[in-house]
Amino acid sequence: MNKKFITSSALLLSLFLAGHVSAQEKPEEKPASLTVYRVTPTKVNDLVHTKLDVSFDYAKRYLNGKEWVTLKPHFYPTDSLTLDAQGMDIKTIALVGTKGNTPLKYVYKDNKLFITLNKKYTNAEKYTVYIAYTAKPDELKVKGSAAITDAKGLYFINPDGTDKDKPTQIWTQGETESSSAWFPTIDKPDQKTTQEISMTVKSKYTTLSNGKLISQKPNADGTRTDTWKMDLPHSPYLFMMAIGDFKITKDTYKGKEVNYYLEPKFAPYAKQIFGKTPEMMKFYSETLGLDYPWNKYAQVVARDYVSGAMENTTATLHGEQIQKNDRELLDGNEEGTIAHELFHQWFGDYVTAESWSNLTMNESFATFGEVIWHGHDAGKDAEDRSRYEKLQSYISSTKNGESPVLARFHYADKEDMFDNVSYAKGSVILYALKNQMGDDAFYKSLNKYLTTNAFKNGETHQLRLAMEEVTGKDWSPYFNQWYYNGGHPILAVDYGYAGGKATIKVKQTQDSAVQIFTLPIKIDIYAGGKKISKEIVINNREQTFSFEVSTKPDLIDFDVDKIIVGELNDNKVAENYYFQYKNAPTYANRIEAIQFIMQSKAKSGQQILLAGLKDPSGDLRALSIDGLNLEDAQIKAAALPILLQLAKTDSDTEVRSAAISKLAETGDQSYKELMVASTKDKSYRVTAAGISGLAKLAPQESLTALSTLDQDTKDHIAPSIATLYINDPKDEHQDFYANIATKGNRNDVFAVIGQYFQYLRANTNPSVTEKGLKNIKDAIERLKLQSYLNKQLTSAYEATAQGKSTQASSANGEAKTNLNKQAELFKKAAADLGKE
């Protein structure tokens, strides 16, 4: 699964600026002591084959199902069977026999079926149970997680067709244990079963499931029954169905079907969105030494999906954010997500984590798969950027070097496992291990793990044993440090030079409760025009290393390969960073140098930022643009021609938009023509920059330019429009914000809700305030954004209420009345959010 956390930094910053509230929400408090050891569920019975025949009641949001589930005792003889079955009406349970079905006694309690079999079976005997049932997912009371926002298993999207802007769809989401909300099963990842699903649907709809479509049968009532069969075993949480008006775009990999299921209006862009999939399959197959193991691969896009994407075996389901037209694709794609889910077909589907405690065997690997794909596809810079971003994502979620264990057998809820440890941290731990082991040995070890455990389950110990068998080396110290203990090192590094020796003092400053780490580190010392390469091992709280050099080093590049899974704080000075950018130009070194210059605001660093305008990485060109000080006449004279060229011709729309915005900041009217031209650009991002830039140079003209844009463009640049209207808080602009609040998806709403609040704060009409605050509250409830927004908005509302009251105390007449009314409305809204 690729989790899709909402990015809150822009919103929180806008709220902070508007209402002086905290810019970062405190982490959710966890129990002080997690004492329950999460054992792998005991196998009493093993799933063997699952056959389903299902149809749908759109009006009631029900699934009517028939199931034939074949099982056998795992080892010990048994005369009972327990199945997970969440929120169902059970109509019949019977043992299937050659002479007919025999009813079985059962008790249905706490979402489990306790079935008494007709006799005691041994593990040499298979038996098949027939179950007739109705699944009622919308009546099921379940909770999701930060990564998976809902857990009812089966989803009816716009089933009655009343929303004209949304297609009618049905889709499933099994992870973690939600497949049992639409068919009875043993809903644990350590179960594996083959599968056959027959779906009876309206003839106009397309279906998708795991495996191969083996038959399509038209029915007399205008429906059609599609049967999908999966001959290879996989876990129940990976079962899937998707039903809707999808148009299929066909592709292939080595003769196997590779298909893309999209809404018809996006079908023309299917190859632009998913077209690299066959090359990804080839790359992963060759890298792992194991060809893509399934008979087909499909990707389908669903509306209102509860996460980012899900790696259902042979049939990945994506959220609608991946569905883009050609204009949207100019501003970026979801290629990382596509790569992530595909890598799961090996790590997660072919070999599945034995338990949720071992989720790292699924998610760390899929995230690692993203990193190496970027390297293969776009070069080392892209790979280094990807893993740098994973590391920063992990570190940003920690404090004092503390974090949960990667292979985690103590947790409050299985959903807690879907965090930055299992995803981001785990991926960079794997990358560091690859670096230490060497690529050949590392990938040979992955092949050993996969082939040894094919169509079964795996855990971290099996990975370690595979690596030891391949390399002949004991990897227990590495696994003990990174998999079975938590946290990360925080290194304070002091560089010195005296008496012809360069010294490096290293202190591990992470919290005393966190382990002391052993870290093999490569170092490059640049001195006297030469580079001296050394290797050291850090294994104590404090250590000092010294090396003979000819002169004071220009730079000591600590951790040359940038594989430390942790934080590094050192005493480098400006000149070291300038030298670093030019002479030790890994991606991490370059971004670190640019960030230092931006934070220090040193005049001498501006020359590096000028060089950064030509950096090979687009994000670093954009970062360099942001850091330029155009108040410096010399820098301005050198930068403006380059910025103008970047604004017009750079291949990266992030760079173009950053250059446009920077030029607009000059206030120079000569750039007005550029701004006007940018508002007509094919890139939505560039158009947004043009509108915002024009607002700085000619505010009234920006509103005129905005009025000429088609609705599609307006929809795509909504955050820029939302910001524009803050400075023009007329009553009629309420409709713009209201439309997004009432109809927009999670990302749409999140992108403008901070500006909506600021617009309401700036507007002086209490009726606008009242309606707007209600719109925001309704949007939060509709999209389940309470955990993201309530705390920040409560603080912002309270601060605004206080500010309005203060303004009212010095106002008169109608203005005073309106301000007091607004103060009460904000105060009440804060109280309402605070209750939830």
Side-chain angles (χ1 to χ4, degrees), residues 12 15-17 19-24 791-792 794-797 799:
L12 296 181
L15 291 179
F16 177 78
L17 293 173
H20 303 289
V21 302
S22 171
Q24 185 165 351
K791 185 175 180 180
Q792 287 82 7
T794 298
S795 298
Y797 288 174

Side-chain angles (χ1 to χ4, degrees), residues 25-299:
E25 188 176 0
K26 290 181 180 179
E28 181 182 346
E29 291 185 5
K30 299 294 182 185
S33 177
L34 297 173
T35 58
V36 178
Y37 184 91
R38 302 292 179 173
V39 298
T40 300
T42 301
K43 288 184 175 180
V44 179
N45 288 283
D46 289 344
L47 294 171
V48 176
H49 182 67
T50 302
K51 181 179 178 181
L52 300 171
D53 187 348
V54 302
S55 60
F56 306 93
D57 186 328
Y58 283 77
K60 294 181 178 179
R61 281 72 160 166
Y62 287 175
L63 175 149
N64 296 311
K66 298 175 183 178
E67 176 177 19
W68 296 262
V69 57
T70 302
L71 309 99
K72 69 179 186 65
H74 181 73
F75 182 80
Y76 299 104
T78 185
D79 59 2
S80 64
L81 168 65
T82 301
L83 296 176
D84 300 295
Q86 301 185 56
M88 297 179 181
D89 286 344
I90 305 298
K91 299 173 182 177
T92 303
I93 297 183
L95 185 76
V96 177
T98 55
K99 296 182 180 180
N101 293 352
T102 304
L104 296 173
K105 294 181 180 179
Y106 67 93
V107 175
Y108 187 26
K109 183 180 179 182
D110 298 328
N111 288 330
K112 289 185 181 292
L113 282 170
F114 301 94
I115 301 169
T116 302
L117 301 174
N118 64 324
K119 68 166 192 169
K120 185 169 283 191
Y121 288 84
T122 70
N123 66 357
E125 297 175 282
K126 296 178 184 178
Y127 61 91
T128 299
V129 174
Y130 168 75
I131 304 171
Y133 65 96
T134 297
K136 303 177 176 181
D138 281 21
E139 297 174 19
L140 186 62
K141 304 299 181 185
V142 288
K143 72 167 189 170
S145 66
I148 312 164
T149 59
D150 205 336
K152 60 185 182 182
L154 176 67
Y155 297 80
F156 288 82
I157 307 303
N158 193 29
D160 48 16
T162 55
D163 187 341
K164 301 306 178 185
D165 296 323
K166 186 178 293 185
T168 297
Q169 296 177 347
I170 298 174
W171 48 263
T172 61
Q173 167 54 40
E175 194 171 36
T176 47
E177 296 173 8
S178 298
S179 285
S180 52
W182 62 278
F183 66 96
T185 188
I186 304 174
D187 207 353
K188 301 297 178 186
D190 63 343
Q191 289 283 341
K192 296 268 183 167
T193 171
T194 54
Q195 155 198 340
E196 183 177 320
I197 300 180
S198 295
M199 290 174 263
T200 298
V201 301
K202 296 177 182 178
S203 295
K204 64 180 179 179
Y205 292 135
T206 298
T207 70
L208 175 65
S209 188
N210 315 91
K212 185 177 182 180
L213 179 63
I214 60 170
S215 72
Q216 290 188 298
K217 176 187 172 185
N219 302 313
D221 61 355
T223 65
R224 187 186 71 250
T225 300
D226 290 357
T227 299
W228 294 80
K229 191 172 184 181
M230 185 81 181
D231 289 327
L232 298 173
H234 65 144
S235 293
Y237 79 89
L238 296 166
F239 279 39
M240 74 85 68
M241 297 186 297
I243 299 152
D245 182 16
F246 303 115
K247 184 169 182 180
I248 305 172
T249 300
K250 295 187 176 183
D251 214 335
T252 61
Y253 167 70
K254 294 178 75 170
K256 294 181 179 182
E257 288 186 8
V258 178
N259 295 334
Y260 316 128
Y261 292 65
L262 291 145
E263 292 173 34
K265 72 175 183 178
F266 289 99
Y269 315 108
K271 290 288 183 77
Q272 291 173 259
I273 298 168
F274 293 118
K276 290 184 180 180
T277 300
E279 174 57 28
M280 289 180 183
M281 296 170 78
K282 179 176 184 289
F283 169 62
Y284 288 150
S285 295
E286 292 176 351
T287 299
L288 296 170
L290 175 65
D291 202 26
Y292 177 76
W294 312 102
N295 61 2
K296 75 116 186 324
Y297 188 56
Q299 294 176 87

